[in-house]
Amino acid sequence: MDTKIILFCGPSGSGKTTISQYLLRNNSNLCFSVSVTTRAKRDNEVDGKDYYFITQEEFKKKLANDEFIESEEVYAGIFYGTLKAEVERIWAMDKHTIFDVDVMGGLNIKKQFGDKALSVCVMPPSIEILKERLIARKSETADSLEKRINKAMTEMSYSKQFERIIINDHLEDSCRLAQTMLDEFLEA
Ligand code: 5GP
């Protein structure tokens, strides 16, 4: 099978993870690319499922060994990246890969894979709504909330570089739209 890549990008709190999870639940031909991160694991997260949680030293070693397709210091002192081995693991299963990465990472991966990849930017209806969602999620401190809002404003300015945009106002509609985008891309 000609396996493809679907990139869901956008600010933290935009809903891109929820939309990706919806597609993963409903399409058995997809597999989630688990990124590596140096940030602390949240209570509801599982190592190896949501992320591979590693130390900064381990991250630097992997970087030096050229093990990443893409990596980034998404927030000051917090590193994220996709391992070449992760994508090879998914391709070996003959599945399409879903990425949930930030905007810069997504554009970087799109550049590497060209027509093999579909880039989708998920945007909140407004910065105010994004802030409300992040507060409701209760995963952030005041400091990390501010960092995420600042980064979101930068990320939203890159949305035009994506092939598709989803304004995530109503989650059910957004999930349906994402499914249509996926179907069109896989059929093409
Ligand atoms: P969180 O800490 O909320 O899980 O993720 C913070 C941001 O990092 C999100 O926008 C998420 O999509 C992004 N991210 C997760 N994995 C990667 C990755 O491998 N590369 C890049 N560039 N960003 C990632």
Side-chain angles (χ1 to χ4, degrees):
M1 188 172 73
D2 180 20
T3 53
K4 295 188 176 180
I5 286 171
I6 304 97
L7 301 157
F8 279 98
C9 308
S12 178
S14 63
K16 64 186 191 292
T17 306
T18 311
I19 294 172
S20 306
Q21 296 303 331
Y22 169 86
L23 292 181
L24 286 157
R25 269 197 312 279
N26 290 288
N27 300 269
S28 57
N29 56 349
L30 303 180
C31 186
F32 181 62
S33 166
V34 181
S35 294
V36 159
T37 183
T38 64
R39 89 151 156 69
K41 189 171 88 57
R42 295 176 188 142
D43 286 347
N44 60 335
E45 289 177 325
V46 177
D47 191 14
K49 181 170 170 277
D50 298 289
Y51 284 104
Y52 300 112
F53 294 94
I54 64 172
T55 64
Q56 206 146 314
E57 287 65 40
E58 288 169 317
F59 196 98
K60 283 186 180 153
K61 215 185 267 176
K62 290 184 186 300
L63 202 55
N65 288 340
D66 195 26
E67 291 181 43
F68 288 106
I69 283 183
E70 172 277 334
S71 72
E72 220 188 299
E73 186 174 0
V74 173
Y75 301 106
I78 307 180
F79 297 83
Y80 295 77
T82 302
L83 294 170
K84 292 175 184 170
E86 176 66 5
V87 178
E88 283 159 11
R89 174 182 78 82
I90 296 170
W91 286 343
M93 294 188 292
D94 227 15
K95 296 206 174 198
H96 306 295
T97 314
I98 287 214
F99 284 83
D100 169 348
V101 295
D102 82 333
V103 162
M104 299 316 292
L107 290 173
N108 182 343
I109 296 167
K110 171 67 190 172
K111 209 190 256 175
Q112 293 182 51
F113 290 96
D115 290 344
K116 192 177 164 67
L118 175 72
S119 61
V120 183
C121 186
V122 182
M123 304 250 284
S126 68
I127 284 287
E128 290 70 33
I129 291 178
L130 183 75
K131 196 171 177 180
E132 282 168 20
R133 286 182 188 167
L134 285 171
I135 291 170
R137 196 163 86 176
K138 293 193 174 119
S139 58
E140 311 307 324
T141 61
D143 181 50
S144 76
L145 178 69
E146 193 186 327
K147 281 185 187 151
R148 276 162 201 265
I149 294 293
N150 287 338
K151 184 175 162 62
M153 290 199 265
T154 314
E155 289 197 292
M156 285 163 77
S157 69
Y158 283 94
S159 62
K160 288 187 182 67
Q161 295 187 34
F162 284 76
E163 292 162 286
R164 299 274 192 277
I165 295 178
I166 295 176
I167 311 275
N168 183 21
D169 201 352
H170 298 290
L171 188 60
E172 273 183 30
D173 294 343
S174 301
C175 288
R176 262 197 299 271
L177 181 57
Q179 181 68 56
T180 305
M181 287 176 181
L182 174 73
D183 292 342
E184 285 172 3
F185 177 58
L186 294 184
E187 277 164 21

